Amino acid sequence: SLHKVMPRLRAVGLYCGYYTSKGVEALIATTKIEAYHQHDTYFTSAFCRAVAAAPLTTLSLTIDYMSALHPPDALSPLEGHPTLKHLSLRFEADVAPELPERLPNLETLSIAVGPRTQFNWDSVLPFCPSLKTLNIHDRCGDAFYEPSIFGALTPRTLFQLMVDISALQTCHVTRV
């Protein structure tokens, strides 16, 4: 097993390639990773199920054009994840999948939305009673000739997001 060869391995990053969910399952099963990063690779619900089974504290994912066929509930396996404290999501596909409804121990949430992604900020955030830091990088609609104002991140929407998160201490917003 990989854990015998690399017993202190705690973080894994997969970049620019095609990996199978079975390979990710085997990697997670044979290590004690706490952080998982997957960018510029093909992302599916099976990947999310494999990753959600791990006792991760940090998860970073990019949902890009290679993953354009993901189902709307691709992130649902993360629902209620007991150990996840830091979640970073970057959406580059035309439509972003729905976020899980509840992440009880999440402390940091970072969301970056690409210029061609349709993203509804009105109903986006999961219930996160422990959320202390929210980072938003919103380029939603920058590449559209006629962007829809439905679900846009406006000052009013941002204010409501912050009011709804009682434990929030810090909110960083760029590119609104």
Side-chain angles (χ1 to χ4, degrees):
S1 86
L2 192 56
H3 181 65
K4 290 178 183 175
V5 177
M6 299 169 58
R8 294 187 301 189
L9 180 67
R10 295 293 179 263
V12 172
L14 302 177
Y15 300 89
C16 297
Y18 184 81
Y19 308 95
T20 67
S21 58
K22 295 289 185 196
V24 172
E25 285 175 8
L27 177 69
I28 290 171
T30 61
T31 62
K32 296 181 180 180
I33 64 168
E34 298 170 1
Y36 181 86
H37 309 277
Q38 181 173 329
H39 302 282
D40 299 324
T41 63
Y42 186 71
F43 177 83
T44 64
S45 296
F47 272 109
C48 198
R49 281 191 301 277
V51 170
L56 299 175
T57 58
T58 303
L59 178 60
S60 177
L61 297 172
T62 297
I63 312 297
D64 62 12
Y65 300 108
M66 291 175 20
S67 307
L69 299 176
H70 60 73
D73 64 345
L75 298 174
S76 65
L78 296 174
E79 178 79 28
H81 196 287
T83 59
L84 192 60
K85 292 185 179 210
H86 311 284
L87 178 60
S88 177
L89 299 169
R90 179 170 194 81
F91 299 114
E92 294 291 341
D94 291 336
V95 178
E98 299 166 2
L99 296 182
E101 290 184 22
R102 191 176 58 83
L103 294 168
N105 297 312
L106 198 67
E107 295 177 3
T108 304
L109 177 61
S110 299
I111 298 176
V113 180
R116 290 184 45 195
T117 304
Q118 297 175 16
F119 197 76
N120 183 356
W121 285 102
D122 289 334
S123 61
V124 68
L125 294 184
F127 175 67
C128 305
S130 302
L131 191 64
K132 295 177 185 169
T133 303
L134 176 62
N135 299 305
I136 296 172
H137 184 83
D138 183 35
R139 294 174 46 209
C140 181
D142 285 0
F144 295 134
Y145 291 109
E146 296 179 27
S148 170
I149 58 168
F150 174 75
L153 184 61
T154 64
R156 180 176 291 175
T157 306
L158 181 60
F159 175 76
Q160 192 59 51
L161 288 174
M162 292 189 302
V163 167
D164 290 344
I165 305 170
S166 61
L168 191 65
Q169 297 172 0
T170 307
C171 182
H172 300 280
V173 180
T174 55
R175 299 261 331 176
V176 176

